[in-house]
Amino acid sequence: MFSASPKVGMDIEALSGICGCISIACWIVVFSPQIIENFRRHSADGLSLIFIVIWLAGDVFNILGAVLQGVIPTMTILAVYYTLADIVLLGQCFYYRGFTLSDAQPTSDEEAIVDETTEESPLLAHDSTAARPTSRPTAADADRNRRSSSFSSFHSHLNQVDATHLSPATPLIPSAKPTVDPPAVPVSTSASSLRTFVLNTIALILVCAAGVLGWFLSTRSSQSQRFHDASPDSASESKALRFDLWGQIFGYLCAALYLGSRVPQLLLNYRRKSTEGVSMLFFLFACVGNLTYVMSIFAYEPECAKLGRVYKAVQCEEGEWSSEYQRYILINTSWIIGSAGTLLLDLMIFTQFWIYRKNVK
């Protein structure tokens, strides 16, 4: 009978758990900033609909791959949550933009026509000069135009007279000339950028702290039970890592869709030369979530090493540690490619935030 001697402190399993919990916390709130941004602007023009649709398809394949491959239940539950959040965000885009998958923006000519429309514009625009044929003006027309011009000048002059000065009791005092307002000073964007940076940093710190707190509470609640149930024979009885073909196929399809989903958003930002309407915190949470998710996968501890930390007499056989670790990484390669590749593309979107920062109204 081996005596249990659990170690207290940071180890590989704790690092994997902390990174995993931070990743979960980030992915839980990842869609909230963009949904709030769309609601605040009453528009979803800054977001590519194709980006959301491809991301939704990737989450669907993520569910299938996670179920078939037999990953931990938390990953499966999160995949279902991602899918539901995608549907909410997509429904919001359809609400503000109509049922369309086109990311086409109005041209400059169309925008000019909309800008020139005022309250005094006719409901049915028409060209009066084109509707009436031109003719040579006659003497009668010239006299009529002269009388109309004189009447208009007299009418406009009469409107400028204050009726109170027609009374003898009220002296005619010339009104003071209106003061000219000083030119408006353009508001610097540095203060706004600093405020946005501080708020985003605080939000990120709070979410990461919530993830660490969740790991701490879950570890304390399960620590005694974990060491009580551990035994030298549990390594052979535990569920071995298995390689499911269809699970891997869906996993790689999910990775390809995740990588391809960022391309439409990058192109939309490039065409608009702006990132207005896109929440930076949305992609910031996605970056941190992908980074910590990849770290949690690499920080894997084989079962024999876990038992070795509990029971001194149990040690990994020669080559067992590396063999099990390599098999674990191979099984999760598709998820690593999807998360790490998406992280690089999100960094490109952050570059667009920096390049087009002056174009944001």
Side-chain angles (χ1 to χ4, degrees):
M1 187 73 176
F2 299 99
S3 60
S5 58
K7 293 182 179 180
V8 178
M10 180 66 64
D11 50 26
I12 298 179
E13 185 180 8
L15 178 61
S16 177
I18 292 174
C19 291
C21 289
I22 293 177
S23 178
I24 292 174
C26 289
W27 285 115
I28 287 177
V29 300
V30 66
F31 295 97
S32 301
Q34 188 61 53
I35 293 176
I36 295 174
E37 178 72 12
N38 294 342
F39 178 78
R40 184 182 64 84
R41 299 177 69 249
H42 298 286
S43 172
D45 292 338
L47 208 60
S48 173
L49 285 174
I50 302 177
F51 159 56
I52 301 299
V53 170
I54 297 178
W55 199 350
L56 174 60
D59 286 335
V60 172
F61 282 112
N62 187 17
I63 296 176
L64 297 176
V67 171
L68 294 175
Q69 186 55 62
V71 297
I72 58 177
T74 305
M75 293 178 60
T76 306
I77 295 174
L78 283 177
V80 175
Y81 171 77
Y82 302 155
T83 303
L84 296 177
D86 287 338
I87 294 175
V88 172
L89 186 58
L90 187 62
Q92 189 185 41
C93 293
F94 285 152
Y95 176 78
Y96 288 126
R97 299 175 59 173
F99 191 77
T100 177
L101 295 179
S102 175
D103 291 329
Q105 300 293 322
T107 61
S108 58
D109 295 338
E110 294 175 351
E111 292 177 351
I113 293 175
V114 174
D115 294 338
E116 292 176 357
T117 304
T118 62
E119 294 180 356
E120 299 177 356
S121 301
L123 296 178
L124 298 177
H126 61 278
D127 190 354
S128 58
T129 59
R132 293 181 297 179
T134 58
S135 61
R136 181 177 300 179
T138 62
D141 294 336
D143 183 64
R144 187 184 303 108
N145 293 335
R146 192 183 307 110
R147 290 198 305 269
S148 176
S149 177
S150 300
F151 179 77
S152 299
S153 177
F154 174 76
H155 186 269
S156 61
H157 178 72
L158 185 61
N159 288 336
Q160 296 176 0
V161 177
D162 191 356
T164 58
H165 299 302
L166 298 179
S167 173
T170 306
L172 178 60
I173 302 177
S175 59
K177 295 182 178 180
T179 58
V180 180
D181 295 334
V185 179
V187 180
S188 176
T189 58
S190 59
S192 178
S193 300
L194 178 61
R195 179 175 177 272
T196 301
F197 174 78
V198 172
L199 292 178
N200 290 346
T201 303
I202 293 176
L204 183 62
I205 292 175
L206 291 177
V207 171
C208 293
V212 175
L213 179 62
W215 169 83
F216 179 75
L217 295 177
S218 63
T219 302
R220 290 198 60 179
S221 62
S222 61
Q223 186 176 13
S224 58
Q225 184 68 24
R226 183 175 68 249
F227 289 115
H228 175 74
D229 295 340
S231 63
D233 299 331
S234 62
S236 58
E237 296 174 358
S238 62
K239 185 177 181 180
L241 296 173
R242 60 186 182 88
F243 191 92
D244 186 85
L245 177 60
W246 283 106
Q248 292 296 312
I249 291 176
F250 287 132
Y252 280 101
L253 285 176
C254 168
L257 291 171
Y258 281 161
L259 294 176
S261 64
R262 296 312 196 262
V263 177
Q265 187 63 48
L266 288 168
L267 294 177
L268 179 62
N269 295 341
Y270 175 76
R271 289 196 303 265
R272 297 168 62 233
K273 297 295 186 293
S274 173
T275 56
E276 185 179 6
V278 182
S279 174
M280 180 183 291
L281 198 58
F282 172 44
F283 287 97
L284 185 60
F285 282 143
C287 282
V288 177
N290 282 322
L291 178 61
T292 52
Y293 178 69
V294 173
M295 292 175 61
S296 67
I297 293 178
F298 280 109
Y300 172 74
E301 188 177 26
E303 191 67 28
C304 60
K306 294 179 182 179
L307 291 174
R309 291 190 295 106
V310 181
Y311 299 97
K312 296 296 185 181
V314 178
Q315 299 295 331
C316 294
E317 298 179 359
E318 183 178 358
E320 182 181 1
W321 197 99
S322 60
S323 176
E324 185 176 347
Y325 184 82
Q326 292 174 5
R327 183 175 179 83
Y328 177 80
I329 296 298
L330 180 63
I331 290 176
N332 292 275
T333 299
S334 61
W335 283 271
I336 295 175
I337 292 176
S339 297
T342 303
L343 177 62
L344 296 177
L345 292 175
D346 285 341
L347 293 178
M348 296 178 63
I349 294 182
F350 279 116
T351 304
Q352 289 183 326
F353 272 104
W354 174 259
I355 295 175
Y356 303 137
R357 67 188 185 281
K358 295 181 179 179
N359 298 339
V360 177
K361 298 178 182 180

